[in-house]
């Protein structure tokens, strides 16, 4: 965690955080100097809040949890979950069912709908001993009854006001509109404290049209030489954005119509049903298209439930979860294809330290398989980020518009976070 306090001239004159005897405490239980397992604990004026309740994707079982033993869960009044990704919500059943927490839990309607699907799949795919399991299907079902959903859809930022002090927690956000989602809005009120993600630090995203062209060029080139393309991605979120790009590209290139594209996830059909339910929360492009046709009723993409249903003959494109290649369908396909130089793997978003996806970005000569043996890494590896995280340009502009007197950086690797802090204060 890094905190920044701008010069006094930037501070609002109507609020003071340092009344005598008062102390606002913010403690990251995860994501303080890492990307993964966010759980940001905050207490002030007798009120205690926990923002997000995730896991670390590079770890399994109890080791993936935030450091809950640093706090007393029974003292927390409200738990606010910003989005459905596992690294923001997957320790929630544990926290609700296995600790002394008795407070309220809030997330949006769409997050609650998807939360159940993703966590049920996570439990089924987990390869840990019974003793090391955080929770089971019954814990997930019981947790659903304790979650209250708000009136907005999708991912959310939270602005919390305690005794006149406003705190904004951004969660993961992007100020760039993409093919289906609106850009994150600027809050109506400026906060006294902004707790903001620093995932990409001082990095800048390439323009969207450049990324899309790189993405489709790599795929077209690979299948033209008889290879297969693996795209490891979250089952929801980035996947839908990339499927929209691929379906449009295939429609514009008749020569590709005999090349199959698969959306490989046990959740594929159910996830798409959720997306179709929440069309109204998406951007004008999707609204306009929906007047004539369903944008998510893909013409050139088929669901693939398991590896047993896959006929691995000839070129193909497969989008599979998880994004970190740490198990599941994406890992199985990677191990099948990694040694053939005709094939390619496109990493389409941020991947955390400790995962295989992070490792292969540096293109090692060989990789360790799930059975412990090694195999040569001959396939091409391309990192083309469509991650819905703010880059430096978005972060700095967002903060200039809000002008918060105090900034706390979370959800970033220590080096990136440090570089961002230095750039923001100079």
């Amino acid at each position: 965690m890094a905190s920044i306090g701008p010069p006094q001239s930037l501070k609002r004159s109507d609020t003071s955080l340092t009344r005598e005897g008062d102390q606002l405490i913010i403690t990251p239980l995860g994501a303080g100097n890492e990307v993964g397992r966010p759980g940001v604990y905050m207490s002030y004026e007798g009120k205690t809040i926990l923002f997000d309740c995730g896991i670390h994707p590079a770890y399994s079982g109890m080791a993936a949890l935030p450091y809950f033993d640093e706090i007393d869960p029974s003292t927390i009044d409200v738990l606010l979950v910003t989005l459905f990704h596992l690294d923001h919500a997957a320790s929630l059943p544990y926290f609700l069912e296995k600790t002394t927490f008795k407070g309220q839990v809030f997330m949006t309607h769409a997050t609650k709908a998807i939360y159940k699907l993703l966590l049920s799949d996570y439990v089924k795919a987990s390869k840990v001993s019974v003793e090391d399991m955080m929770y089971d299907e019954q814990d997930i079902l019981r947790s659903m009854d304790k979650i209250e959903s708000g009136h907005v859809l999708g991912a959310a930022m939270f602005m919390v006001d305690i005794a006149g002090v406003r705190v904004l927690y951004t969660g993961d956000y992007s100020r760039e509109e993409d093919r289906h989602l609106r850009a994150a809005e600027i809050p109506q009120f400026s906060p006294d404290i902004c707790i903001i993600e620093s995932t990409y630090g001082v990095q800048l995203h390439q323009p969207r049209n450049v990324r899309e062209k790189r993405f489709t060029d790599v795929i077209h080139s690979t299948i033209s030489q008889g290879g297969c393309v693996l795209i490891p991605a979250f089952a929801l979120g980035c996947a839908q954005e990339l499927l929209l790009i691929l379906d449009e590209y295939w429609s514009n290139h008749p020569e590709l119509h005999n090349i199959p594209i698969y959306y490989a996830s046990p959740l594929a059909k159910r996830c798409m049903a959720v997306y179709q339910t929440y069309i109204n929360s998406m951007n004008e492009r999707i609204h306009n298209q929906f007047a004539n046709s369903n944008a998510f009723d893909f013409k050139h993409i088929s669901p693939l439930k398991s590896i047993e249903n896959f006929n691995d003959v000839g070129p193909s494109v497969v989008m599979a979860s998880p994004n970190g290649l740490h198990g599941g369908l994406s890992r199985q396909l990677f191990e099948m294809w990694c040694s053939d130089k005709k094939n390619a793997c496109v990493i389409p978003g941020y991947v955390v330290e400790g995962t295989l996806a992070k490792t292969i970005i540096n293109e090692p000569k060989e990789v360790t398989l799930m059975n412990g043996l090694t195999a040569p890494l001959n396939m091409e590896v391309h990192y083309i980020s469509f991650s819905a995280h703010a880059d430096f340009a978005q972060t700095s502009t967002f903060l200039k518009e809000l002008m918060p007197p105090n900034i706390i950086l979370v959800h970033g690797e220590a080096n990136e976070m440090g570089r961002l802090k230095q750039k923001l204060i100079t």
Side-chain angles (χ1 to χ4, degrees), residues 216-243:
T216 52
D217 281 355
V218 165
I219 291 170
H220 202 149
S221 171
T222 302
I223 59 180
S224 294
Q225 62 185 16
C228 298
V229 181
L230 172 62
I231 308 168
F234 284 118
L236 275 157
C238 181
Q240 280 63 39
E241 179 73 4
L242 299 176
L243 292 172

Side-chain angles (χ1 to χ4, degrees), residues 288-300:
N288 295 336
Q289 185 172 342
F290 195 68
N292 300 311
S293 63
N294 185 344
F296 297 104
D297 184 13
F298 299 119
K299 296 178 178 63
H300 304 284

Side-chain angles (χ1 to χ4, degrees), residues 180-191:
H180 71 295
L181 293 177
R182 302 185 183 107
E185 298 173 353
I186 296 289
Q188 184 179 358
F189 303 105
S190 181

